[in-house]
Amino acid sequence: MILTMLNYPIKFNPILKQKIWGGDKLKTRLHKTSSKSNLGESWEISGLKGGTSVVENGVLKGRALNDLLEDYGAGLVGQKVFKEYGNEFPLLIKFIDAKSELSVQLHPGDEIARKRHDSFGKTEMWYIVEADEGAEINIGFDKSISKKEYLAHLENGKITDLLHFEKVKKGDAFFINTGKVHAIGGGVLLAEIQQPSDVTYRIFDWDRKDEHGNPRDLHTAEALEAIDFEKKDDFKLDYTREYNNPSVIKKCKYFTTNFLPITQNIIRDLSKIDSFVIYMCVEGKAAISVDGNSEEIQKGQTLLIPAKNKSIEISSEKSELLEVYIEL
């Protein structure tokens, strides 16, 4: 295949998902176009079955992400990434708007997810794009607990007594390891970087009813083997903010996410990164150029730089980007 077709920033059509807890900020704040209401998720880049991204721009317009992987392989994702993941795109990139709180949930790790669901596990991180005054998230337990204590609280409808709640603001970042209970609270708009999995074990749903008046399914039994009952203060991410230079927010084996605030024209050297690079704009707007081929990105938009490109130009008077790639 002709790799010169990969010499531009690739933008994908957002896949918009209605959710019982969704709101209107994906449309009003991030300018997503839809006639639907209660939009909860915008899948920005996805290779999942039933939710595969399609190119929006350039010579590859109309092509599905998975088809690009088959055609271009390492030229798209990098040599090591392609060797590790083959024709499966290794990340799922989203924006999420929670008008009301999500269910209290957790995700299985790779071993359980592979055995039960033929899926990757779901390690993820959140970057808070906007938060209403007083908005909070649940992340983990307030203390280490036993399985017996957990089940007793769950049976009595008092599981929230055990949960740790944390107020959030724009720019906060959190890492959610597999097994950790968590829930995005109402009034939170965030960017999510995660393994490519849609497997969720819901353990409590605030006694909420679906559109048919029925309680939503819970996954009490499935969650028991996967849940982490230990209190661990490993979720809040501290990072520096240096203009026109990337600062690491989180590096793990599944992804590296940097914070990159731009106030001028910069050349970003990607020669040491054997991976595709994703840019999520979380404030302002910027132009990103590959081989002179430029694409604008504004708050709420996402671009993918194919791995074959080792230098890009980013220009902006004021913007904030998340830079995501995989280091193996």
Side-chain angles (χ1 to χ4, degrees), residues 8-16 26 30-32 41-46 53-57 65 89 91-96 129 190-194 257 276-288 295-306 320-325:
Y8 72 98
I10 299 174
K11 187 178 286 187
F12 295 90
N13 294 306
I15 302 169
L16 302 175
L26 293 177
L30 301 189
H31 310 294
K32 306 297 179 184
E41 297 185 353
S42 176
W43 289 20
E44 298 289 297
I45 304 180
S46 167
S53 295
V54 174
V55 178
E56 178 185 306
N57 68 331
L65 175 58
F89 193 75
L91 292 176
L92 175 55
I93 305 296
K94 302 177 182 176
F95 286 107
I96 297 178
V129 177
L190 60 77
E192 181 174 89
I193 296 100
Q194 60 158 94
T257 302
F276 59 90
V277 180
I278 291 169
Y279 289 97
M280 305 182 77
C281 186
V282 293
E283 193 61 65
K285 64 180 179 179
I288 299 180
E295 187 71 38
E296 187 173 276
I297 185 173
Q298 63 179 354
K299 182 177 180 179
Q301 293 184 328
T302 304
L303 290 176
L304 182 145
I305 309 299
E320 295 175 358
L321 306 176
L322 301 183
E323 180 182 72
V324 184
Y325 49 87

Side-chain angles (χ1 to χ4, degrees), residues 52-158:
T52 302
S53 295
V54 174
V55 178
E56 178 185 306
N57 68 331
V59 295
L60 298 171
K61 183 176 180 178
R63 298 286 307 278
L65 175 58
N66 293 346
D67 291 340
L68 298 186
L69 259 172
E70 288 187 16
D71 285 350
Y72 299 105
L76 181 70
V77 297
Q79 295 284 351
K80 291 181 180 178
V81 173
F82 189 65
K83 184 178 179 181
E84 178 73 17
Y85 293 97
N87 287 334
E88 294 186 86
F89 193 75
L91 292 176
L92 175 55
I93 305 296
K94 302 177 182 176
F95 286 107
I96 297 178
D97 171 31
K99 183 177 181 180
S100 59
E101 54 272 290
L102 277 67
S103 61
V104 181
Q105 58 190 246
L106 61 127
H107 308 298
D110 288 334
E111 185 177 349
I112 292 175
R114 194 173 296 114
K115 180 173 66 177
R116 292 182 181 173
H117 310 285
D118 190 27
S119 170
F120 292 103
K122 191 176 175 184
T123 300
E124 61 190 2
M125 70 155 283
W126 295 337
Y127 176 91
I128 308 300
V129 177
E130 294 182 5
D132 293 351
E133 186 71 29
E136 59 185 12
I137 60 172
N138 152 233
I139 189 156
F141 294 110
D142 248 342
K143 63 176 184 176
S144 296
I145 59 173
S146 66
K147 183 185 290 188
K148 182 179 179 181
E149 188 177 5
Y150 165 77
L151 288 172
H153 278 75
L154 202 61
E155 187 176 336
N156 295 327
K158 295 184 179 295

